[in-house]
Amino acid sequence: MLRRAVGVVCFLLPTTSGFAGGFRHDNHDESQLRRRVHSLKSNSDDTSASKRIANSQASLGLLLDFGQDVDDADIVKLASLLKDFSYCHSSIKRIFNVPTTSAYPFGPTYLKPLSPGDAFELPMGEDIDPKLASLQCFTALFLLSSCLEIKTFVEAVHCGHETLRLLLRLNLVFVDGGCIVPLVHLFALDIPSGDNLVIVTDLHPNVLRRTSFSETEGAVMYIGPDSISLVHHFEAGIKKFKANGGWPQSGGCNVLDLCTGSGIQALATMAMLRDTNSSSVVADVNDRALRFARFNAKLNGFGKRLRTCQVNLLDESDRKRLQAEKYDIVLANPPFIPTPPSRSDRPALLVRKGGDDSGKGCYSSGSDQNRSQMQTYGLFSSGGVDGEDCLRSVIELAPHLLNDGGILAIVSEFMNPSSEDEQNQNCALQKICQWWGSNPGVGMYFSNELPVSAKIYAERRAISNDLEEAALWLTHLKDMNIKEVSPGLLFIIAQKGGENDNKNLLLSHRIVPKSDRGSIWTPHNKNA
């Protein structure tokens, strides 16, 4: 088979035996798929976008401008283009020889963006189909964050010059030194009901290297395993819930997505409902997130059915404003990391100034100069000093937002999830019931059988191999009385009638068994 060099990226036609290293197709766990991707990297050329973005004076202005003064006609053109060459997960899996029977039904979470110093090699042959060539180039740019030479792109992509101009107008890329540099991710999300979505987000922090763009705007979260997990599990039960009368029989569902980020939960839910009468309100404190959500709604054909609302869940007046409307579904993927104040970035600190009612922690420690030299957590990740300020607010609000029979669906990390101490007021189950208050409801809360200890959690959140940083995090977790942490899911059905005689929340705890398949959030964990 011939190999031809096309600028920065080389292409080689995939074979049935897979790529270099000969990976089997019968056990596609996440680590194996990551090894497959990494086997195609070399350090001979740096094609990663990270350094070019960091060193470009123009990139920050373009990033700041995303979603502003966008021509809706251009978004429609992009949607048509992506559909034309099948930019969806089922097609992307074929590029990497991932079988259609693999356990990744929703999106390419196994693809990790290039780190500085990495190069990437995508499969392609001499007589490659133009649509496949377009798919491969878009995959390199918008999933792997790999730069492409302009010459490579315009020759490989159908209507290459026109397509490049479209991407530039939409601020999805910029040109630097003859190369096209991606500014965003385009995550292909396949919904089992048959709908395919493309979700635009900011780049992964490993590529973007920043958590904020101003004192009020933060980065918009990439699509991670937590995002996919809520889509995955909510989709699994939506048909049964609908059949049991959990939805309006006419008029469509009214959906609220809190801490919306890119809008993925609201858009995926509307795609699952397949009801043109359904509509969504997406809320976030970050105006940048609302611009991404509006863009994604238009890109996926939901522009007229989605409204945005800028809301600070830690502000009492904003909380009251939300309660003016009732909803059938309330979704949330709130920021959940219990962050030491000195490790929160500026926007995350300002949002919480005067908004923390727990009495824990101090939001004034750590100078701005020192903070800029540390690994910091921003609006989409910092959950306040105890990791629960937004989670607490969502659960407290939910009974006042939901219609009778409406459902609350949350994905989050939960502090002190162990079932061995569920009478302790500091355990997750007791806190959830306390936050829900004296409102009838029935629900299930899911966590891992083996939560992560505070020590291991601190090491993961700290900078790699920095013992002093890990010690700071561990001290903070101890101060917050956090002994262990688990990823989890929470589903509650609001009951306004007399089904629950105690007029309180009946919440059961379900534990996901220990498995080599990973956590409750791992896409291929069928035990979950």
Side-chain angles (χ1 to χ4, degrees):
M1 187 65 61
L2 295 174
R3 171 184 290 182
R4 61 172 177 143
V6 279
V8 182
V9 180
C10 294
F11 300 96
L12 181 66
L13 188 67
T15 66
T16 55
S17 60
F19 296 121
F23 294 96
R24 297 180 303 168
H25 290 169
D26 57 346
N27 183 28
H28 287 273
D29 62 21
E30 184 158 354
S31 60
Q32 186 181 35
L33 286 166
R34 286 192 184 277
R35 288 196 300 271
R36 165 175 291 177
V37 173
H38 288 192
S39 73
L40 297 177
K41 294 181 180 180
S42 71
N43 289 314
S44 57
D45 285 304
D46 183 353
T47 69
S48 67
S50 182
K51 286 184 179 179
R52 289 182 181 269
I53 292 173
N55 295 332
S56 169
Q57 294 182 348
S59 64
L60 178 58
L62 294 171
L63 286 165
L64 282 168
D65 289 342
F66 181 85
Q68 303 196 53
D69 300 322
V70 177
D71 187 342
D72 288 355
D74 279 343
I75 300 179
V76 172
K77 288 179 183 177
L78 176 64
S80 177
L81 178 71
L82 295 171
K83 184 176 181 180
D84 184 56
F85 59 78
S86 299
Y87 190 81
C88 59
H89 184 221
S90 58
S91 298
I92 292 167
K93 284 196 293 186
R94 288 195 289 271
I95 292 178
F96 295 96
N97 282 351
V98 179
T100 55
T101 55
S102 75
Y104 290 89
F106 289 92
T109 53
Y110 48 84
L111 294 181
K112 185 178 180 181
L114 300 189
S115 298
D118 285 335
F120 195 79
E121 200 171 63
L122 276 173
M124 187 173 176
E126 285 290 340
D127 300 321
I128 193 77
D129 179 80
K131 292 185 177 180
L132 178 57
S134 299
L135 175 65
Q136 292 173 335
C137 286
F138 269 63
T139 299
L141 282 169
F142 297 116
L143 287 176
L144 303 174
S145 303
S146 179
C147 302
L148 293 178
E149 284 189 353
I150 295 175
K151 183 175 183 294
T152 300
F153 184 89
V154 298
E155 289 182 356
V157 174
H158 182 62
C159 299
H161 287 289
E162 182 180 343
T163 298
L164 176 56
R165 286 192 290 268
L166 174 65
L167 298 180
L168 289 169
R169 288 198 303 272
L170 290 171
N171 280 355
L172 302 179
V173 301
F174 73 102
V175 171
D176 179 65
C179 284
I180 303 171
V181 185
L183 286 168
V184 297
H185 288 309
L186 301 183
F187 190 89
L189 183 70
D190 292 8
I191 304 296
S193 58
D195 292 302
N196 299 326
L197 304 178
V198 177
I199 305 296
V200 185
T201 72
D202 272 319
L203 295 168
H204 191 282
N206 288 347
V207 182
L208 190 56
R209 303 288 176 178
R210 66 187 308 132
T211 58
S212 62
F213 298 95
S214 69
E215 288 206 343
T216 58
E217 290 198 356
V220 176
M221 184 178 172
Y222 60 96
I223 306 302
D226 48 345
S227 307
I228 295 295
S229 177
L230 185 55
V231 174
H232 192 162
H233 290 276
F234 198 48
E235 195 276 340
I238 205 167
K239 291 180 180 178
K240 182 177 180 180
F241 191 66
K242 187 175 182 179
N244 289 340
W247 311 100
Q249 299 303 308
S250 62
C253 284
N254 199 14
V255 179
L256 173 64
D257 183 9
L258 297 171
C259 308
T260 189
S262 62
I264 177 176
Q265 303 301 336
L267 296 172
T269 298
M270 286 198 290
M272 294 172 199
L273 291 172
R274 303 183 68 83
D275 179 357
T276 56
N277 291 319
S278 295
S279 62
S280 289
V281 174
V282 298
D284 205 294
V285 70
N286 186 8
D287 188 57
R288 180 177 179 81
L290 300 179
R291 296 201 301 273
F292 271 80
R294 286 192 292 268
F295 187 103
N296 287 324
K298 294 172 184 176
L299 181 63
N300 292 284
F302 295 107
K304 295 182 179 180
R305 294 164 53 193
L306 181 140
R307 292 176 288 141
T308 60
C309 180
Q310 189 168 16
V311 170
N312 182 356
L313 290 174
L314 308 182
D315 181 88
E316 188 59 32
S317 61
D318 280 7
R319 287 159 57 97
K320 289 180 179 178
R321 183 160 53 93
L322 269 179
Q323 297 176 48
E325 193 170 345
K326 297 294 183 182
Y327 301 90
D328 304 296
I329 306 169
V330 174
L331 307 160
N333 180 5
F336 48 66
I337 297 174
T339 311
S342 61
R343 299 308 184 260
S344 285
D345 72 5
R346 189 71 176 158
L349 290 172
L350 289 176
V351 161
R352 292 174 171 84
K353 187 177 181 181
D356 176 42
D357 59 1
S358 68
K360 302 174 181 178
C362 171
Y363 284 97
S364 60
S365 64
S367 70
D368 291 341
Q369 182 178 0
N370 289 337
R371 186 177 291 112
S372 67
Q373 298 170 2
M374 305 167 184
Q375 176 162 326
T376 58
Y377 291 83
L379 288 175
F380 75 69
S381 54
S382 174
V385 291
D386 60 2
E388 296 176 336
D389 56 8
C390 289
L391 175 65
R392 180 188 305 113
S393 184
V394 170
I395 297 175
E396 287 175 346
L397 277 170
H400 311 289
L401 296 171
L402 287 166
N403 287 318
D404 188 15
I407 188 168
L408 170 67
I410 295 177
V411 59
S412 180
E413 285 184 345
F414 291 89
M415 311 301 140
N416 300 323
S418 176
S419 60
E420 297 178 0
D421 193 22
E422 289 190 341
Q423 298 307 310
N424 187 325
Q425 293 300 308
N426 192 46
C427 82
L429 185 139
Q430 290 294 332
K431 286 189 286 189
I432 292 168
C433 291
Q434 177 186 346
W435 297 335
W436 182 266
S438 301
N439 302 286
V442 59
M444 287 189 179
Y445 145 61
F446 299 83
S447 68
N448 280 345
E449 180 180 5
L450 295 179
V452 177
S453 70
K455 183 177 183 297
I456 294 176
Y457 190 86
E459 292 170 352
R460 291 179 179 178
R461 293 302 180 192
I463 300 172
S464 300
N465 302 318
D466 189 328
L467 298 180
E468 184 177 347
E469 183 79 358
L472 180 148
W473 275 85
L474 183 57
T475 298
H476 174 74
L477 294 175
K478 288 181 178 178
D479 289 344
M480 296 297 105
N481 198 22
I482 297 172
K483 299 176 181 179
E484 54 189 18
V485 183
S486 174
L489 293 160
L490 173 66
F491 300 97
I492 299 176
I493 299 174
Q495 296 176 330
K496 308 298 183 183
E499 295 182 32
N500 183 348
D501 293 335
N502 294 322
K503 302 299 181 183
N504 290 314
L505 174 62
L506 298 179
L507 183 66
S508 59
H509 185 189
R510 296 290 185 266
I511 296 176
V512 177
K514 175 185 176 183
S515 169
D516 58 3
R517 291 182 177 272
S519 84
I520 188 173
W521 289 353
T522 307
H524 57 258
N525 187 357
K526 294 182 179 179
N527 292 335

